[in-house]
């Protein structure tokens, strides 16, 4: 089951986020050291601000009552691009369609609001993630950045037209 979470479910997001940062430290701009020390109020405010924002949402996938995957989505101020981030799927449920379901849920939501493009960033050396996104019609752009200050890792922006979905 995939659904958005509400502000009161911030502990679910925190748990998933910390699992994601531990499992895939080169996939996210933030580090586990930075986020594991954040107080409960920080998590509650961050999740609440996103969950209650009219242009944002936090999707979580559940399997047998356990939260197993996550995705953040935000529509830009021009109301034309769905920005996807913080996507992670627990190793035990990878390649079972969970990630595809998360992306589909966010894109369907954005489409219902008239958004035409979805974008995300991916670490170039994460070959499996790049291939996953390309299978889902995301195409590389010329836009790149470093993962975080001091990192040698490059992240590339990928985009897809929502009408292709």
């Amino acid at each position: 089951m995939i659904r958005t979470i509400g502000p009161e479910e911030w502990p679910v997001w925190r748990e998933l986020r910390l699992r994601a940062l531990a499992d895939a430290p080169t996939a996210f701009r933030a580090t586990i050291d930075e986020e594991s020390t954040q107080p409960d109020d920080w998590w509650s405010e961050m999740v609440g601000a996103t969950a209650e924002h009219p242009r944002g949402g936090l999707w979580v996938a559940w399997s047998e009552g356990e939260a197993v995957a996550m995705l953040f989505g935000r529509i830009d101020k021009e109301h034309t691009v769905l920005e996807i981030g913080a996507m992670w799927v627990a190793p035990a449920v990878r390649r079972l369609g969970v990630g595809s379901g998360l992306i589909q849920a966010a894109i369907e939501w954005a489409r219902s609001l008239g958004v035409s493009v979805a974008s995300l960033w991916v670490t170039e050396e994460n070959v499996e993630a790049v291939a996953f996104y390309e299978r889902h019609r995301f195409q590389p752009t010329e836009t790149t950045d470093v993962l975080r200050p001091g990192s040698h890792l490059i992240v590339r922006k990928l985009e897809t037209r929502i009408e292709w979905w």
Side-chain angles (χ1 to χ4, degrees):
M1 171 181 70
I2 295 172
R3 66 174 175 82
T4 57
I5 60 170
E8 71 285 354
E9 295 176 283
W10 64 265
V12 171
W13 188 264
R14 178 184 61 192
E15 177 205 348
L16 282 170
R17 178 69 173 177
L18 295 179
R19 287 172 58 198
L21 293 171
D23 176 62
T26 62
F28 303 97
R29 292 190 190 263
T31 68
I32 193 163
D33 290 340
E34 294 167 347
E35 293 197 0
S36 66
T37 60
Q38 295 296 339
D40 290 353
D41 288 350
W42 183 86
W43 289 99
S44 175
E45 289 171 20
M46 186 269 295
V47 169
T50 303
E52 294 179 328
H53 197 285
R55 292 188 335 261
L58 303 171
W59 284 263
V60 171
W62 306 81
S63 177
E64 298 178 12
E66 178 187 359
V68 295
M70 62 193 286
L71 178 144
F72 160 80
R74 174 183 55 217
I75 296 172
D76 69 343
K77 290 180 183 179
E78 291 77 31
H79 211 77
T80 58
V81 178
L82 167 64
E83 300 164 344
I84 294 172
M87 184 167 172
W88 178 77
V89 177
V93 296
R94 288 182 188 153
R95 295 176 189 81
L96 299 178
V98 175
S100 298
L102 283 171
I103 288 177
Q104 185 70 38
I107 285 180
E108 286 176 7
W109 168 74
R111 178 186 293 125
S112 76
L113 297 173
V115 175
S116 58
V117 174
S119 72
L120 55 82
W121 292 85
V122 64
T123 306
E124 287 185 333
E125 74 175 31
N126 188 342
V127 178
E128 288 185 29
V130 170
F132 170 82
Y133 293 128
E134 288 178 348
R135 281 193 307 275
H136 289 79
R137 300 187 180 128
F138 283 85
Q139 300 174 344
T141 69
E142 295 299 317
T143 308
T144 62
D145 197 0
V146 293
L147 178 64
R148 62 182 75 93
S151 175
H152 70 282
L153 298 172
I154 302 298
V155 291
R156 180 168 301 276
K157 187 175 186 180
L158 306 181
E159 291 184 343
T160 188
R161 305 276 315 159
I162 288 180
E163 67 202 33
W164 295 344
W165 282 78

